[in-house]
Amino acid sequence: MLDEDRCKQYAIRQKLTEPKEDFGLVQLIEHLCGIQDQVQGSVYLAAKARLKNVTADKIQKDLWERRSLVRTWTVRGTMHVIIASDWPMFRTALRPEWEDRWSRYLQKYATWKQRELAAKAVLEVLDNGPATRAEIQKGVEQLLGTKSEWLTNLLSPWGGVLKDLAYWGEIVHGPQKGSEVTFVKTKDWLPQRLPFLPEDPDAALSQLFLRYLMAYGPATIHDFAYWSGVSVVRVKRALHLVKGQLRESDHRYDVAFSMEELENAEPAEIAFLPKFDCYLLGHKEKFYLQQQYYKEVYRPAGHIQSVILYKGKVIGVWTRSKKNRRSGMDTKLFSPLDADIQERVLESAERYLAHEH
């Protein structure tokens, strides 16, 4: 049996409320510590589930014109959209994980010397402005005078040397060229007056932990390690730095969250969330999902399905559909629901996918 109160409180802290929140997109992304952006359109759909007024065009303007948002690799080594002023915190907190753990697969393809050579060449290419992966590869091959397999592997879509440079703080994503993503030097792209942050990775991680708890708490150290991808050893060091600012109960930590805010808000009765939504990635324990349906949501090879929530509980999954003209999606509910609830699910589905641009 799921803990309904815990599911409701989690939905509220994730800004899945009824009525929807009326604050800005940038504030939402700051609160959630970023939105994963592995799948096209996921940032828009995650925001639309939580905000009254959001458009895909506004997201593009915040990313590429106002530059209040930035797209780069952050937690778990995955692509996220975060707020620009948070970039120093993520970079400093996560750099050791990339260097010591997440990038180990590159040791099969290239030496540290080769990674450094490739990184230097990439930065030379980007001196001329934003460039696509193909443009970077062509320029690097010319600079190094080689098309060796190690170089091809370092410039593969998995990230390679581009991830090296991202976690070293040298590059972020730039505006698209047609359908192609580009990369740009951070110093040329982000505002020069970013907040000062100590260069101690554990201090930065402790600040990230505090921020995480606002949207995902109460949570255990293992939940935070699962969400961030960092080692439990580092989480414990970060916790030690801020433990005096936290409340603890049953091995779960939390910040001083306003209970009045939770009591005065209502979770959305029905919510649709896109693939890899942060709601599904915040905790190791899936307290909002009945165990027998785990494999319906968390699929092989790390794939996480789009889900339907009912008052914070996962009750089904959904996929886009051209055949379903009413809602534009096919739904699969895990167990039968009252006819009136099923009708409200369909009505919510229509609103969710309507007017995507």
Side-chain angles (χ1 to χ4, degrees):
M1 179 70 83
L2 300 182
D3 184 337
E4 293 193 3
D5 285 341
R6 189 178 179 192
C7 292
K8 288 178 181 178
Q9 289 193 9
Y10 181 44
I12 292 168
R13 289 175 76 153
Q14 281 277 301
K15 304 300 181 184
L16 292 161
T17 57
E18 203 168 76
K20 289 185 178 181
E21 292 281 356
D22 198 21
F23 59 87
L25 173 69
V26 173
Q27 289 88 343
L28 174 71
I29 292 176
E30 178 181 23
H31 175 73
L32 296 175
C33 299
I35 295 178
Q36 189 160 329
D37 194 27
Q38 300 289 116
V39 179
Q40 185 177 12
S42 57
V43 174
Y44 167 71
L45 290 175
K48 187 172 183 181
R50 295 166 167 88
L51 298 180
K52 273 186 179 179
N53 300 305
V54 65
T55 65
D57 287 343
K58 176 168 173 34
I59 294 171
Q60 296 301 306
K61 287 180 179 178
D62 280 333
L63 272 167
W64 313 128
E65 294 180 22
R66 288 183 280 269
R67 303 185 191 179
S68 51
L69 302 176
V70 64
R71 188 172 188 264
T72 189
W73 290 283
T74 63
V75 295
R76 302 181 302 277
T78 54
M79 188 65 65
H80 277 68
V81 169
I82 60 174
I83 66 170
S85 57
D86 275 351
W87 172 81
M89 175 180 65
F90 280 101
R91 173 186 61 82
T92 305
L94 301 177
R95 186 178 66 240
E97 299 304 317
W98 171 253
E99 293 179 356
D100 299 338
R101 297 173 61 234
W102 299 343
S103 68
R104 285 179 184 171
Y105 74 96
L106 290 176
Q107 295 172 8
K108 296 184 294 184
Y109 307 113
T111 66
W112 263 109
K113 182 64 175 177
Q114 289 169 331
R115 287 166 70 175
E116 289 172 350
L117 284 171
K120 183 179 178 181
V122 169
L123 292 177
E124 285 190 50
V125 172
L126 294 180
D127 280 337
N128 298 315
T132 66
R133 193 183 299 273
E135 290 169 340
I136 290 171
Q137 179 155 353
K138 181 179 179 181
V140 170
E141 288 173 350
Q142 291 175 345
L143 286 168
L144 298 183
T146 181
K147 294 185 179 181
S148 299
E149 186 177 358
W150 65 265
L151 185 57
T152 300
N153 286 324
L154 285 181
L155 294 169
S156 75
W158 288 101
V161 71
L162 297 176
K163 276 192 175 183
D164 275 340
L165 289 165
Y167 285 109
W168 294 341
E170 298 286 353
I171 68 170
V172 294
H173 273 63
Q176 287 192 234
K177 284 187 179 179
S179 61
E180 297 286 324
V181 300
T182 70
F183 298 87
V184 63
K185 295 178 79 169
T186 308
K187 68 180 183 64
D188 296 334
W189 187 254
L190 292 186
Q192 296 300 307
R193 298 179 64 82
L194 286 171
F196 171 78
L197 189 74
E199 283 298 309
D200 176 14
D202 289 342
L205 187 64
S206 70
Q207 296 307 304
L208 182 57
F209 189 25
L210 292 175
R211 290 278 301 283
Y212 159 86
L213 289 174
M214 289 296 295
Y216 301 89
T220 67
I221 59 174
H222 294 283
D223 288 329
F224 181 64
Y226 170 85
W227 172 81
S228 63
V230 309
S231 68
V232 172
V233 171
R234 283 200 64 212
V235 174
K236 289 179 177 178
R237 293 204 302 262
L239 172 64
H240 178 73
L241 295 175
V242 293
K243 198 167 185 179
Q245 302 176 52
L246 303 177
R247 298 180 303 184
E248 181 184 2
S249 176
D250 195 25
H251 303 293
R252 295 195 188 106
Y253 295 91
D254 205 356
V255 289
F257 201 87
S258 169
M259 293 307 295
E260 183 179 349
E261 184 176 342
L262 292 177
E263 291 167 358
N264 291 340
E266 285 293 329
E269 182 186 46
I270 297 161
F272 290 84
L273 302 180
K275 295 179 179 179
F276 301 100
D277 190 87
C278 51
Y279 193 89
L280 305 171
L281 288 162
H283 303 85
K284 189 172 184 179
E285 176 197 2
K286 311 306 180 190
F287 57 87
Y288 40 75
L289 174 66
Q290 291 183 320
Q291 182 61 35
Q292 63 264 41
Y293 303 121
Y294 179 89
K295 291 184 178 179
E296 296 278 358
V297 176
Y298 298 89
R299 308 301 297 263
H303 182 83
I304 300 176
Q305 186 60 284
S306 307
V307 301
I308 308 166
L309 299 185
Y310 180 74
K311 296 183 179 179
K313 297 175 290 185
V314 176
I315 61 166
V317 295
W318 67 272
T319 56
R320 289 179 181 270
S321 171
K322 293 182 179 179
K323 295 179 181 179
N324 192 327
R325 294 182 179 178
R326 176 175 174 181
S327 66
M329 68 167 68
D330 290 330
T331 60
K332 178 182 179 181
L333 301 177
F334 295 151
S335 56
L337 296 175
D338 292 343
D340 62 329
I341 296 178
Q342 290 193 50
E343 179 62 23
R344 292 201 295 278
V345 168
L346 286 173
E347 291 173 354
S348 298
E350 290 180 73
R351 293 193 298 270
Y352 182 58
L353 290 183
H355 312 299
E356 289 195 51
H357 299 288

